[in-house]
Amino acid sequence: MGNYYLAIDIGASSGRHILGHLKNGKMELEEIYRFENGLKEKNGHLCWNHDRLFQEILSGIKKCKELGKIPVSLGIDTWGVDFVLLDKEDRLLGDTVGYRDGRTKGMDQKVYEMISEEDLYARTGIQKAIFNTIYQLMAIKTEDPRQMEQAGAMLMTPDYFHFLLTGVKMQEYTNATTGQLVNPETKDWDYELIDMLGYNREMFLPIHTPGTIVGCLKKEIQDLVGFDCQVVLPGTHDTASAVLSVPANDDDFLYISSGTWSLMGIETMEANCSPKSKTANITNEGGYGYRFRYLKNIMGLWMIQNVKKELKDAYSFAQLCDMASECDSFPSRVDVDDDCFLAPKSMIEQVRQYCRNTGQKEPNTPGEIAAVIYNSLGESYARTAEEIETIMGRTYGRIHVVGGGANAEYLNQLTAKYTGKEVHAGPTEATAIGNLTAQMIKAGEFASVEEARSCIYDSFEIKQYEA
């Protein structure tokens, strides 16, 4: 049996520990632990429970010892933009507020008092999202400036968990870029911008790339989990890891990392910070090996996840797809990127209200609601593909769908229908695979990204859908 590597992949609604190893030239995965996640209201804000999450991280690591499968290394990936502030004694400052909280309302205008929206995009290449780190920090500066003054370090969420495991504070590149404070040319913090905004520049730590060794487990963590191993930076932004798992080595494709969010784009070696790119609201997030993820954030399966929950999980995602397919002719559509769908009290009612407000037929049954969401997503994918192709001055022959949404057959069929492109769906465990891949490249299991992607193609089922 070959060496084991542990990917700890934490999403907005759940997390899991997945062991990976190579056997007969193929990557094999084993999920050993899973736990729930979600935002809870605390002191008037929507917050993550980092204490509980870290206990879940430790519980999953312990499983490796119980199974007798000790990993060579481990790495953690999460969603982007969220962070913690630590004081000079490494104590948390304030609550761990999440990106769906409303504290950033109006913070964009405060930022634009110091730098125009156009200049901000030209400097960072990051699309505007009101929850970006840049606006969250402005909310802190506005509401409780002492927090920022007292901060000795800002760590993105996965970097904070790596710190708790190792005692080493290290900022990773791909997640840092999501915050709209990194220069795409220097690949470092834009300190001039940081000073312009009046943020505490001392709290911005040096940025390191995926594949960097953070350190070994702290002694007390070793005693708790029963072994030691290295902690190695993956692409700590989950989409960066997911894109690394796309099983293709040419450049004739768009990808969709399909999960709570749908991230649709291409992989490039240079950022595009042009006015046309800004108008299309396309972002240039960091990827493995200083690649850029030139993509658009689309609301994604967040909407259908909320519908499923509101229906008290009476239907599986597959059943919702089937029910939507039966209501395929239902005519109404919504703008899946409208802020009203970001954190509504009721997603079902919000979809109905949107249709009422826009003079469209109101969906009533679960199948009709799912049909509206899935078809709206498919049309959004088609518009995004056209925008990217127009800006890049070329067309792309196919779309690779990776992540949990690769299992949504009805949505994949709609994606092929609306875009007119062949769709290749899989692997579904894209983020964990990409996390493991970064660790395996560091360990010498793969000589290059190209070799790793060829292995991924050979290791996992890829389904095709014709346009």
Side-chain angles (χ1 to χ4, degrees):
M1 189 64 69
N3 294 324
Y4 287 98
Y5 302 84
L6 178 63
I8 303 173
D9 172 29
I10 308 176
S13 58
S14 66
R16 63 267 180 86
H17 292 57
I18 294 183
L19 279 171
H21 69 278
L22 294 179
K23 183 178 180 181
N24 298 324
K26 293 185 177 181
M27 189 184 296
E28 295 192 351
L29 307 179
E30 179 183 2
E31 182 180 305
I32 61 170
Y33 192 74
R34 180 175 282 268
F35 55 94
E36 293 184 354
N37 189 24
L39 289 162
K40 304 291 183 183
E41 190 163 330
K42 180 182 178 183
N43 297 325
H45 292 290
L46 292 174
C47 298
W48 304 107
N49 187 340
H50 280 27
D51 290 340
R52 186 187 69 79
L53 284 177
F54 188 61
Q55 290 308 309
E56 299 284 14
I57 289 169
L58 293 176
S59 295
I61 296 173
K62 287 180 186 176
K63 289 288 183 182
C64 298
K65 177 69 172 179
E66 294 173 16
L67 294 168
K69 298 176 179 179
I70 308 300
V72 171
S73 64
L74 66 83
I76 301 173
D77 65 76
T78 74
W79 60 95
V81 306
D82 283 347
F83 59 90
V84 300
L85 297 182
L86 302 178
D87 68 14
K88 302 295 195 299
E89 281 72 47
D90 296 332
R91 295 171 300 200
L92 276 174
L93 290 165
D95 293 327
T96 50
V97 181
Y99 66 90
R100 291 189 187 275
D101 184 73
R103 67 174 175 171
T104 53
K105 185 177 181 180
M107 293 302 119
D108 51 346
Q109 296 309 312
K110 287 186 175 293
V111 167
Y112 301 151
E113 290 172 8
M114 302 163 196
I115 181 172
S116 71
E117 186 174 354
E118 291 73 21
D119 287 346
L120 180 60
Y121 186 86
R123 291 184 77 109
T124 66
I126 298 298
Q127 76 178 116
K128 180 185 176 181
I130 194 60
F131 48 69
N132 285 352
T133 310
I134 190 173
Y135 305 119
Q136 293 198 50
L137 286 172
M138 184 56 72
I140 290 174
K141 182 187 172 190
T142 301
E143 296 174 5
D144 191 356
R146 290 176 302 172
Q147 280 190 37
M148 190 173 291
E149 293 166 5
Q150 295 167 2
M154 182 191 81
L155 290 175
M156 306 301 280
T157 299
D159 299 309
Y160 175 59
F161 292 135
H162 286 153
F163 164 66
L164 294 180
L165 289 173
T166 65
V168 178
K169 295 190 287 290
M170 187 176 288
Q171 181 70 63
E172 188 272 330
Y173 169 68
T174 67
N175 215 321
T177 66
T178 66
Q180 210 169 1
L181 288 163
V182 172
N183 184 306
E185 293 185 5
T186 65
K187 316 294 194 298
D188 197 2
W189 299 114
D190 187 334
Y191 287 103
E192 185 178 8
L193 173 62
I194 287 165
D195 290 342
M196 197 184 305
L197 297 169
Y199 298 164
N200 173 7
R201 68 152 54 201
E202 292 181 5
M203 67 187 188
F204 293 89
L205 304 181
I207 293 176
H208 298 268
T209 57
T212 302
I213 297 172
V214 181
C216 294
L217 301 179
K218 293 191 294 187
K219 180 64 166 61
E220 56 265 37
I221 301 295
Q222 294 178 35
D223 293 342
L224 194 62
V225 302
F227 64 90
D228 188 20
C229 72
Q230 287 186 332
V231 174
V232 172
L233 292 179
T236 63
H237 186 222
D238 48 13
T239 309
S241 280
V243 170
L244 183 55
S245 79
V246 173
N249 282 319
D250 62 0
D251 67 349
D252 190 32
F253 66 89
L254 297 127
Y255 58 76
I256 301 174
S257 175
S258 181
T260 300
W261 291 88
S262 288
L263 298 312
M264 184 175 189
I266 59 173
E267 197 173 56
T268 68
M269 294 307 296
E270 293 184 3
N272 184 335
C273 303
S274 67
K276 284 185 179 179
S277 186
K278 178 194 174 299
T279 299
N281 208 25
I282 299 175
T283 201
N284 295 269
E285 294 175 351
Y288 185 90
Y290 286 132
R291 293 165 174 81
F292 286 96
R293 295 173 282 134
Y294 187 64
L295 59 82
K296 178 172 278 193
N297 284 306
I298 301 167
M299 190 69 75
L301 297 179
W302 163 254
M303 295 176 70
I304 206 72
Q305 289 167 353
N306 275 262
V307 168
K308 181 175 181 289
K309 191 179 297 183
E310 283 185 55
L311 295 172
K312 303 192 183 303
D313 294 319
Y315 309 102
S316 67
F317 287 119
Q319 288 174 316
L320 285 170
C321 274
D322 290 341
M323 293 160 68
S325 180
E326 292 171 4
C327 300
D328 191 62
S329 61
F330 195 83
S332 301
R333 301 289 184 266
V334 299
D335 178 359
V336 294
D337 294 318
D338 193 294
D339 286 347
C340 69
F341 299 117
L342 195 59
K345 286 189 172 16
S346 166
M347 187 65 74
I348 292 174
E349 178 53 32
Q350 192 64 61
V351 170
R352 288 173 173 163
Q353 183 179 323
Y354 187 100
C355 292
R356 287 197 300 269
N357 292 347
T358 52
Q360 299 182 84
K361 186 176 181 181
E362 185 177 336
N364 291 307
T365 68
E368 289 174 347
I369 291 163
V372 169
I373 292 172
Y374 282 127
N375 278 275
S376 298
L377 274 174
E379 290 188 356
S380 180
Y381 295 160
R383 287 193 299 272
T384 300
E386 185 176 352
E387 285 174 335
I388 292 173
E389 290 181 333
T390 298
I391 291 170
M392 301 306 293
R394 60 164 296 182
T395 58
Y396 297 90
R398 65 188 187 281
I399 296 173
H400 281 273
V401 179
V402 298
N407 285 326
E409 292 208 6
Y410 178 56
L411 180 56
N412 293 331
Q413 290 164 356
L414 290 176
T415 302
K417 169 188 169 183
Y418 287 121
T419 64
K421 299 181 188 297
E422 191 176 83
V423 170
H424 295 218
T428 57
E429 296 291 355
T431 301
I433 291 168
N435 182 323
L436 293 166
T437 296
Q439 296 182 57
M440 288 178 169
I441 292 174
K442 176 62 178 177
E445 301 275 8
F446 299 120
S448 64
V449 170
E450 291 75 20
E451 184 179 317
R453 284 175 164 168
S454 294
C455 176
I456 292 166
Y457 180 85
D458 292 335
S459 300
F460 303 100
E461 181 182 15
I462 312 294
K463 292 185 178 180
Q464 294 188 24
Y465 300 84
E466 299 299 326

